[in-house]
Structure formats: C-alpha cells, structure tokens
Amino acid sequence: MVNRTVMAPCVLLLACGLSASAQELPFGDRAELVDLGNDGAPAVFAYAIDASGSVAGTLRAGPIAAAFRWTDQGGLETLERIAFDVPARGEAISDGLVVGATQLSDADLIPVGAAWDAALAGLQFIGVPQGLEGTIASGVSVGEGGSAVVVGTTLGPDGFRRKQAFVQTSAGFMPLADSPSGADSLAANVAGGWINPGQELVTGVAWSSVASNATQAAVAGTDWSQVTGVDPVAGAVGMAAGPGGPTAFIASNLAAPVAAPLHDAESADRSAAFGLNRHGDVVGMYEDDGERRAFVWTAETGMIDLNSLLAPGDAAVWTLKQARDINDSRQLVGFGTFNNGTGDVVRAFRLTLAPPASCAADRNGDRVPQCHGAGR
C-alpha cells in the first residue's frame, strides 16, 4: 500500500477505515474530475494532455479503435479514419495537434504514423523512410508560429520489430540513434525513450535539443530502464526493472541524470511513471497486492493514490487505475473503471489537482499556484 503522505500514516484513506474528512489532504482540496465521455465506445483510454487542458487518446470496441481529441469547448471528438474498421489511436497532443498511428487498410497491419490537425481534424500521414515498413508517432511539440516537431519509432523492414527512434521537423525526417531504439515522449526540445546498443535489454535515454546527443537514465541495481516522460526543466521519468519488478523513477538533471526510485518495497509492489510537468509532479501507476491504482508524486508529498483525492461522489463510482500525463496547471489524464449502473467499464478522465497545501494562491492568473521553492 502506498504510504507516503506527510500528514497521514495511510494514503488510501477509505481503505484504512478513516473518513476522508478526518485527514488533512496533501493537496489543499479535493481534485476535480471530468468524465471524458465515450461516444458509444465500451472502453476509453486517455494518454496525453496539452497546456490548454485538451486531451488525446483512443476509443476501443474490441479490435476496432479510433483516435479522439477532447476539449473544454467541444467535448469528445472521434477523429477521422481511413474506414470504420481500420484502427487508429491517439498518443500525444500539443496545441490541439494530435499524433499517433493508423493503418492504410484493414488488411495492412503495419502501423503508419498519423497526425490530426487541431482546426480541421483531418488525417495526415507521417512518412515512412525508404527501406522501412511503418512508423508510430508517440510525441509532439508545437512551437511558436505553429511549427510542429514529432518523435516516434520506425518499424521493419522485418515486420513489427521496432527499428529506430526518429524526429520529424519541417526540415525532414531524422533518426535519433544508430542502435535499435524508440522515442516515447517529447516536451519542447527534449525527447525520451530507450536504446538497445547491441544488448538484450534496453536502457532509458533522453535526447536533448531533439538531436543525437543522448544521456542515459538508469536505476542502480536494475537490469533495464525506459524513459516515458520528459520536461526540459524537471528532467525525465520512466520505469526500471530488476528482480523485484518495474519501479517508477525520476531523473531530475538531464545533463547528468541520476535516477531515483519513487517507491520502495514497503510502499508498493511495483510501479511505472508516465508523465511529469515543469514543477516535477509525476504521474503513473502502482500495484499493491495485485491491485493497480493511479498515483501522483511530488517531492513534498511522495507517492499519493489519486483515488484518495476524489470527492465522495466520484469515489463511489470511479477507480482510477492509471495516470498518463500532467500539464503545468496540474491537470492530469488517465483511465480507470467507472460504474455506469450496470457494471464497470473502462473510461477516461481529466483530473484537476488543487494546489498543494504548501502552495500560495495563483497570483498572476496563469492557473499555476506560486509554490515555495525553486521551479515551483
């Protein structure tokens, strides 16, 4: 059981037999949950959120899948597909631009990178380099003037085998590593992922300035690592594994990363981190006694079960299983189980955290509380 709050000996408040009101919350108030809807799909997965609070993810109905964009103004929007039975998925979003992957037909199983413009929602393809078979777009960053940078992984030429991490800009398509590799995240000018430099196991890596200068992030005593989220200020997060299973980590200095685990054997059996923001807030998933729960981690509070921050009405019908991304306004997204009155279904959520109890109010109107400490 996660047990990392400063003020309370047990984070899973209801599981400890205590009412939530009997404890001082590590964040100043209850989190605000928004159900992202489902457009008729039985399962919904949210994977990314941008600075405006817009969300990207995937709707699923068995083998049928579709990418979606969710906004405050328009709600959930299913994005264009080649055909109804040709699957597509949304992986990342920046300034409303969604990227991910699709197929060219229902018979062609090799994924091809895809992008959906924020204004038109039209489907565009991300090129496949000569000699390879496919691409998967996993991260996007839109800069000033609307210029987009996309990172991901190429596939082939031997089927589904991941071949090489790539970055695509207006200047063209460029590999990020000579070894087999993959890029899983992007923030501003930093990409994160993994490399396999001729070894059986992979090593987490961050590429700064979206170029070939890479720094490795590994946890002492583990066999492999993978960087799943990056921020130019806060560093990199991901997961590493040894004999005890996967462990979430943070490496706060990209120039000389020293990865620190976010939990120990007494607080959870295993965990994985997927995203972070410039404050150093980390989100992910932990597992304890076979049950998976979504978490947020901060340097002040440690690992907090997000279910313990829900209002009672939300807690009665939701179990938050994974948190996948968080923006600088402390809005995070993920998915869990939702009781719709007839049973549990998989649904996506956006959760807005209250300011940490140690934070001052939002003084400048940017929706980001002014906390004590550098970078916060």
Side-chain angles (χ1 to χ4, degrees):
M1 178 181 296
V2 170
N3 182 15
R4 291 297 188 88
T5 56
V6 176
M7 302 304 299
C10 185
V11 176
L12 297 178
L13 302 177
L14 301 180
C16 295
L18 299 176
S19 68
S21 61
Q23 299 290 336
E24 182 176 341
L25 292 170
F27 290 81
D29 202 351
R30 294 295 178 191
E32 177 189 348
L33 185 144
V34 176
D35 181 350
L36 301 188
N38 66 348
D39 199 20
V44 189
F45 304 86
Y47 295 120
I49 187 168
D50 67 12
S52 72
S54 298
V55 181
T58 304
L59 305 166
R60 286 198 173 274
I64 304 300
F68 75 81
R69 180 192 296 112
W70 183 97
T71 64
D72 282 312
Q73 297 77 23
L76 189 144
E77 172 191 13
T78 300
L79 300 177
E80 180 184 350
R81 285 174 283 176
I82 296 293
F84 175 79
D85 57 352
V86 176
R89 62 183 186 268
E91 300 274 358
I93 187 170
S94 178
D95 199 25
L97 174 65
V98 175
V99 301
T102 185
Q103 296 168 200
L104 297 180
S105 72
D106 60 347
D108 187 353
L109 301 181
I110 301 296
V112 175
W116 291 267
D117 180 82
L120 302 177
L123 172 61
Q124 304 172 34
F125 298 114
I126 293 172
V128 179
Q130 186 174 3
L132 295 172
E133 294 183 351
T135 52
I136 298 173
S138 303
V140 61
S141 180
V142 176
E144 294 183 5
S147 60
V149 177
V150 178
V151 299
T153 307
T154 62
L155 299 170
D158 44 0
F160 288 100
R161 185 183 299 275
R162 295 196 176 208
K163 187 70 175 178
Q164 202 167 47
F166 73 81
V167 57
Q168 180 169 292
T169 68
S170 58
F173 196 98
M174 180 183 73
L176 285 172
D178 295 328
S179 305
S181 53
D184 296 317
S185 58
L186 178 68
N189 63 345
V190 179
W194 54 270
I195 59 171
N196 182 0
Q199 304 171 6
E200 181 180 354
L201 300 172
V202 302
T203 300
V205 65
W207 290 274
S208 60
S209 301
V210 286
S212 57
N213 52 318
T215 54
Q216 296 186 7
V219 176
T222 63
D223 298 323
W224 63 264
S225 60
Q226 180 178 1
V227 170
T228 53
V230 288
D231 182 87
V233 174
V237 297
M239 65 194 87
T247 300
F249 69 80
I250 184 170
S252 56
N253 182 357
L254 288 175
V258 176
L262 299 187
H263 86 265
D264 56 33
E266 295 183 357
S267 57
D269 294 332
R270 59 191 65 203
S271 61
F274 299 116
L276 81 164
N277 60 18
R278 70 174 172 87
H279 308 295
D281 305 325
V282 183
V283 294
M285 174 273 296
Y286 79 91
E287 183 175 313
D288 189 64
D289 291 334
E291 184 177 5
R292 293 184 176 184
R293 315 276 282 200
F295 76 77
V296 60
W297 178 95
T298 75
E300 292 83 6
T301 65
M303 188 179 286
I304 303 295
D305 184 341
L306 284 170
N307 293 276
S308 69
L309 303 180
L310 295 179
D314 292 327
V317 293
W318 281 90
T319 301
L320 310 184
K321 296 290 189 178
Q322 290 193 29
R324 300 296 300 229
D325 196 15
I326 184 169
N327 66 17
D328 293 341
S329 298
R330 291 193 167 95
Q331 296 175 310
L332 59 93
V333 294
F335 50 89
T337 56
F338 172 74
N339 190 314
N340 62 6
T342 60
D344 287 342
V345 294
V346 179
R347 290 286 275 270
F349 62 85
R350 187 183 74 178
L351 198 68
T352 302
L353 299 179
S358 60
C359 287
D362 174 12
R363 296 194 183 98
N364 60 9
D366 66 355
R367 300 195 302 169
V368 179
Q370 282 67 60
C371 301
H372 301 292
R376 301 188 67 80

